[in-house]
């Protein structure tokens, strides 16, 4: 494979190609790679060492332009910059993180686990009774729906509606979600609808505070100053998108992974004590959030290559997590792998604030699959999301046997 043939912006690579082969080539031959695009380009870092080093230097590598290439919250003038966790740098980031983190406390995770368990059990009961179905649409969404119902204090129907909107926002380049108005307006339209939803919720919580995320952000205060309305909305949006788009894709990818690795599946069913290490290995293996974006704040040199201030870098978690120099037999799924210092959630100051929620959801799913001894076989074509940001499965038709 020649460098010129690798285009990490080519969505076909993620829908029907093999991005893992492209990343393996880049790690070996061009670890600091300039990926040209029609409107410029970006640097792609693919080794574990480089990706973790850049994560750990938020001064030289800023988050102000957001985490998605050419997608949401993209421009330096975007109003989200400095107001939303994922698009902010220290010191603002530290303050916002302190407040948002409070919504992920033990009490909230306990309440969320109750919701997730109830929704998931229903969906698995139905799937089993029917002998199968589309795991990606019938089961996977119950995980974030349960979490958001608890975190936002809303009902199942509203949680599913919010899920649909955030999926449109992230999948705005995918034919299943793009609206007649075109990609750009699909993205903006979905964002506006999410903001309308959250603004209405904010008004309700102002009138009658509860114990949910919006009420927690409304009550947040530092040195006598609270968060502004736009900070509350942006961070509620950040949690909604972070929570909705990652765990369901991870759940479907886990089922696909189990189908492709029957020996590891048997090993897990035979030894349920492996659930803890299995969950971590699933996060490493599936790395749903393929990359995050940073902007160089000054001229820097990486592996002898000069990166001028202002240029964009992409840190490919999914590639770093298959780097042989960090993981022995990196291309082998090992549900007992320990230690497992994967980068699926990033690292350092922006490390996923929802990690405990993701852990809870995926652990409940894996425990339930093992408890019911569910085994899946494909019953149709797997369809992937047209995105290089989220490694997502849109449709996963399966037959299921207990
Ligand atoms: C498999 C599940 C998940 C994966 C793979 C994942 C991945 C990530 C990654 C890689 C980052 C770092 C972004 C950066 O450095 O720019 C991040 C941040 C974040 N995630 Fe997650 N995430 C997951 C689940 C969740 C959940 C369940 C939530 C919320 C309910 C969430 C909310 C967030 C938020 C708000 C941030 C921004 C944190 C900050 O900037 O300080 N994520 N996530």
């Amino acid at each position: 494979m020649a460098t010129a043939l690798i285009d990490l912006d080519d969505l076909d690579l993620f829908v029907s190609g093999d991005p893992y082969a492209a990343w393996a080539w880049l790690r070996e031959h061009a670890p600091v790679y300039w990926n040209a695009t029609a409107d410029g380009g970006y640097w792609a870092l693919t080794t574990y060492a480089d990706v973790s080093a850049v994560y750990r230097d938020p001064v030289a590598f800023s988050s102000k332009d957001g985490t998605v290439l050419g997608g949401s919250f993209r421009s330096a003038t975007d109003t989200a910059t400095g107001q939303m966790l994922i698009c902010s740098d220290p010191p603002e980031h530290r303050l916002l993180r302190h407040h948002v983190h409070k919504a992920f406390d033990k009490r909230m995770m306990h309440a969320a686990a109750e919701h997730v368990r109830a929704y998931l059990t229903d969906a698995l009961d139905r799937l089993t009774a029917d002998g199968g179905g589309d795991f990606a649409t019938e089961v996977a969404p119950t995980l974030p729906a349960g979490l958001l119902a608890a975190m936002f204090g809303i009902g199942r129907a509203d949680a599913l509606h919010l899920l649909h909107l955030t999926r449109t926002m992230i999948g705005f380049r995918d034919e299943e979600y793009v609206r007649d108005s075109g990609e750009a307006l699909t993205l903006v339209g979905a964002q506006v609808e999410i903001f309308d939803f959250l603004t209405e919720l904010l008004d309700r919580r102002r009138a009658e505070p509860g114990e949910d995320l919006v009420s927690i952000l409304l009550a947040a205060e530092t040195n006598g100053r609270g968060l502004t309305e736009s900070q509350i909305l942006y961070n509620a949006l950040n949690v909604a998108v972070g929570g909705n788009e990652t765990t369901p894709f991870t759940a479907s990818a886990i089922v696909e992974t189990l189908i492709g690795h029957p020996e590891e599946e048997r090993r897990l069913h035979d030894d349920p004590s492996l659930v803890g290490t299995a969950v971590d290995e699933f996060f490493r293996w599936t790395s749903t959030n393929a990359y995050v974006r940073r902007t160089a704040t000054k001229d820097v040199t990486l592996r002898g290559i000069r990166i001028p201030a202002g240029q964009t870098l992409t840190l490919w978690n999914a590639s770093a997590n298959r780097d042989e120099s960090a993981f022995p037999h990196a291309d082998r799924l090992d549900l007992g792998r320990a230690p497992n210092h994967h980068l699926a959630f990033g690292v350092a100051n922006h490390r996923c604030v929802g990690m405990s929620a993701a852990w809870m959801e995926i652990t409940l799913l894996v425990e339930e699959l093992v408890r019911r001894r569910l085994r899946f076989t494909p019953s149709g074509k797997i369809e992937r999301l047209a995105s290089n940001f989220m490694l997502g499965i849109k449709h996963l038709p399966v037959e299921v046997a207990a």
Side-chain angles (χ1 to χ4, degrees), residues 9-18:
D9 233 42
D10 171 13
L11 300 188
D12 287 344
L13 178 65
F14 297 85
V15 173
S16 51
D18 183 0

Side-chain angles (χ1 to χ4, degrees), residues 55 67 86 93 97 147 242-243 246 250 289 294 344-345 350 352-353:
Y55 264 125
T67 202
I86 213 153
H93 174 262
R97 174 116 182 167
L147 178 78
T246 45
T250 304
N289 187 173
R294 294 292 188 265
F345 294 106
H350 283 277
C352 182
V353 74

